[in-house]
Amino acid sequence: MITVGQSKARRLALHAGHTAGLAVFMVFAMFPLFWLVKISLTPNNLLYSEGITLWPSSITWDNYQFALLGSRFPRFFLNSVVVSLSSAAIVTLVAAAGGYAFSRFRFAGKVPIMFVMLLTQMVPLVMLIAPIFKIMSPLGLTNSLTGLIIVYTAFNVPFATFLMQSFFDGIPRELEDAAMIDGCTRLTALRRVIFPLTLPGMGATLGFVFTAAWSELLFALMLINSDDKMTFPVGMLTFVTKFSVDFGQMMAAGVLALIPACIFFAFIQRYLIQGLTAGAVKG
Amino acid sequence: MAGSTITSYGPAASEVFPEPRRRAWRALIEPYLYLSPALILIGLVMFVPLLLGLSFAYRNIHLLNPFSGGFVGLDHFSAIMGDKRFWRALINTGWWTGASLVLQFSLGLGLAMLLNRPFRGKRFVQAIIFLPWAVPIFLSGLTWAWLFNPVIGPLPHWLAALGVMSEPYNILSNPSVAMWGPIIANVWFGIPFFAITMLAALQSVPYELHEAAAIDGASAWQRFVKVTLPFIAPVIAITVLLRTIWISNFADLIIVMTGGGPADSTQIVASYIFTTAYRRLDFGYASAISTALLVLLMLYSLIVLQLRRRLAGKV
């Protein structure tokens, strides 16, 4: 911080302003989530009388009990975990291979392929909903978790490939060259030397894709129609439309949806800057 | 550097290995081999549907009607020309994108500047402030919709207490202001993205530049306008341009919060496409609107590229 020509009082004022500014941003970021938790803990009979006080006079766990034991939410949760984890795992493998090719080779098709991959990030995905439904329906991939996994995997591969490339770029190529001169094949060199070094990068990619797949709504809405195949977003939206007055129960379910997202967020926080600058188009 | 494997192994390999030609061929296809899973996936799940979707625009495809599928030529496009809902959605798209972008960008840049100096507990503060980005989008939408609901949300009551509203009501059900609901949710969700990219840009400004300006007697504001801004302008430009495309296609929050209503007052082109495909099951017309949207986006990109070239030519 540059302090040339600043009096002590001025620096104090700046410091106070800085802290106040950050506090405002923190309150803005946390308030909606705080409210979600608050309503989920408010007993039904207090909902309307104390709906807008900052904290209810008594709290209840009934809404969570309902969400966990009396509803379909555990099923939706499980479906979402299966879809998100599978997509994340497949994307990470596919993107690691592709990112490696981008990082270590120079070949004729490289620039066009990278350009096409960047282009896919510009295509409004919403326009693919109808044709993908039309293609997947005769293949038995609508109303199936496999179909969702295929779609999410393909959508996340371009961004994840660029992300993995940036991680490979950070690993000196001399390491694998040395191993290959010592007689390893490229695959052995990869497995023994490079793979352990890329683990953090793979973890970050896994986290990004998991988060993206966990929140995807529109394709899941179109492709899934039976109760037992619904992912969490679809299940929750259906519930909200059907029982739009059970606010406490809806918000308890919302808090459940928040938990995995927060865990993975903690996991990928360190890589946020790298990730977002690698694919500045991605939300 | 990137190609040294291929180039440097060429001559050496021919001395050591008996089959140089085979080896060279292997080196040639090796990168494509690694890329093939990615390319196959993208091709089958993105490009094939994209082309198929473009062809749907000229056909009558209705999911519930088994006799549909016939060729209708440009009928859908002439229908779009007279479709008031489409033009309304187009205007709304501009409004939604512009307001979201201006607010996200200015608040994101402000936040980045607050974070771009050392202070105690920085990691914790960052984790809290960036959290909205990780909240599943459907949940952000639902949460904000609830905050705007006067029964359980505080916002209408606060706005009424401030005198902005005459009595607490749900802004999402008032066509003249409903768009502000999704916009505010979008700003909440999007600030972290801009803050992170702007923070990375700010950290690339050399400290010496600032120091020299300060010694020359420049005030903090002058340093910001004369040193920082010109330095990060290219990053700002590219981020804003790419983000414009992304936000204009971002329909999730609108679908969750208002479904495009009331009376189409929050319908943007992307949510109109979704509603046409998902609710009306009219894939042909949805694909025609998609084609129109794609053409508009390409026009936008061309204009941007042209502007960039002209600006680059001046400097």
Side-chain angles (χ1 to χ4, degrees), chain A residues 160-210:
Chain A
T161 304
F162 290 124
L163 188 59
M164 280 312 297
Q165 181 199 356
S166 78
F167 284 115
F168 280 120
D169 283 344
I171 300 172
R173 56 179 307 125
E174 287 77 19
L175 282 178
E176 65 203 275
D177 285 348
M180 279 159 72
I181 288 167
D182 286 349
C184 288
T185 62
R186 184 183 288 280
L187 281 182
T188 326
L190 271 179
R191 208 180 63 227
R192 295 255 178 86
V193 183
I194 303 302
F195 182 69
L197 291 173
T198 351
L199 277 181
M202 291 201 174
T205 311
L206 208 69
F208 272 103
V209 180
F210 183 93

Side-chain angles (χ1 to χ4, degrees), chain B residues 77-102:
Chain B
F77 291 100
S78 53
I80 288 180
M81 295 310 283
D83 184 354
K84 283 207 183 87
R85 300 184 67 191
F86 172 79
W87 295 105
R88 175 94 197 259
L90 196 60
I91 295 169
N92 283 342
T93 306
W95 173 221
W96 150 260
T97 312
S100 304
L101 198 68
V102 167

Side-chain angles (χ1 to χ4, degrees), chain A residues 199-222:
Chain A
L199 277 181
M202 291 201 174
T205 311
L206 208 69
F208 272 103
V209 180
F210 183 93
T211 317
W214 186 264
S215 22
E216 206 288 327
L217 172 69
L218 301 188
F219 279 84
L221 265 180
M222 186 78 213

Side-chain angles (χ1 to χ4, degrees), chain B:
Chain B
M1 291 298 124
S4 64
T5 326
I6 302 169
T7 45
S8 66
Y9 275 94
S14 60
E15 288 159 27
V16 181
F17 295 96
E19 290 176 288
R21 202 174 285 174
R22 198 165 157 192
R23 177 126 189 123
W25 192 72
R26 260 196 66 176
L28 207 66
I29 64 156
E30 202 177 358
Y32 294 101
L33 209 64
Y34 296 144
L35 272 167
S36 56
L39 293 179
I40 291 171
L41 268 168
I42 296 172
L44 286 182
V45 187
M46 297 185 84
F47 279 90
V48 171
L50 184 67
L51 294 177
L52 190 68
L54 292 178
S55 80
F56 282 1
Y58 307 93
R59 292 167 59 192
N60 166 27
I61 297 193
H62 214 279
L63 201 58
L64 291 182
N65 180 356
F67 301 108
S68 67
F71 184 75
V72 296
L74 296 173
D75 282 8
H76 287 317
F77 291 100
S78 53
I80 288 180
M81 295 310 283
D83 184 354
K84 283 207 183 87
R85 300 184 67 191
F86 172 79
W87 295 105
R88 175 94 197 259
L90 196 60
I91 295 169
N92 283 342
T93 306
W95 173 221
W96 150 260
T97 312
S100 304
L101 198 68
V102 167
L103 289 170
Q104 284 183 357
F105 170 71
S106 44
L107 291 170
L109 181 62
L111 177 58
M113 289 173 63
L114 288 175
L115 290 173
N116 190 30
R117 54 169 71 188
F119 59 89
R120 263 201 319 190
K122 187 171 177 179
R123 283 182 65 99
F124 172 74
V125 171
Q126 274 186 3
I128 298 274
I129 289 178
F130 292 162
L131 191 60
W133 177 84
V135 174
I137 291 159
F138 74 94
L139 189 59
S140 311
L142 287 175
T143 307
W144 277 98
W146 291 328
L147 286 174
F148 284 120
N149 183 336
V151 176
I152 45 157
L155 294 182
H157 301 273
W158 291 352
L159 288 173
L162 286 171
V164 181
M165 284 179 182
S166 50
E167 53 174 333
Y169 69 91
N170 194 339
I171 66 161
L172 297 178
S173 51
N174 177 350
S176 58
V177 285
M179 189 56 114
W180 282 107
I183 288 176
I184 290 173
N186 193 16
V187 170
W188 182 78
F189 158 80
I191 287 178
F193 172 85
F194 270 99
I196 292 167
T197 4
M198 291 301 119
L199 190 60
L202 286 175
Q203 281 167 354
S204 70
V205 181
Y207 184 71
E208 292 76 25
L209 281 181
H210 264 287
E211 212 170 32
I215 289 169
D216 287 347
S219 70
W221 173 248
Q222 283 172 323
R223 288 202 301 272
F224 175 69
V225 175
K226 296 270 160 79
V227 179
T228 310
L229 268 189
F231 204 88
I232 63 173
V235 183
I236 292 182
I238 202 85
T239 314
V240 167
L241 296 176
L242 291 177
R243 208 56 184 172
T244 308
I245 295 183
W246 196 88
I247 294 177
S248 62
N249 295 323
F250 179 41
D252 299 45
L253 279 177
I254 290 177
I255 304 252
V256 170
M257 292 178 76
T258 64
D264 275 337
S265 58
T266 58
Q267 194 81 277
I268 63 170
V269 176
S271 65
Y272 190 36
I273 294 174
F274 181 78
T275 319
T276 310
Y278 175 67
R279 296 235 178 271
R280 295 187 6 213
L281 300 174
D282 190 345
F283 285 8
Y285 194 59
S287 297
I289 311 171
S290 303
T291 310
L293 178 63
L294 204 61
V295 170
L296 288 171
L297 284 176
M298 276 154 110
L299 275 178
Y300 169 82
S301 312
L302 276 179
I303 294 170
V304 164
L305 282 177
Q306 209 62 42
L307 270 178
R308 235 187 98 187
R309 199 165 296 157
R310 207 167 282 178
L311 284 178
K314 265 185 192 160
V315 174

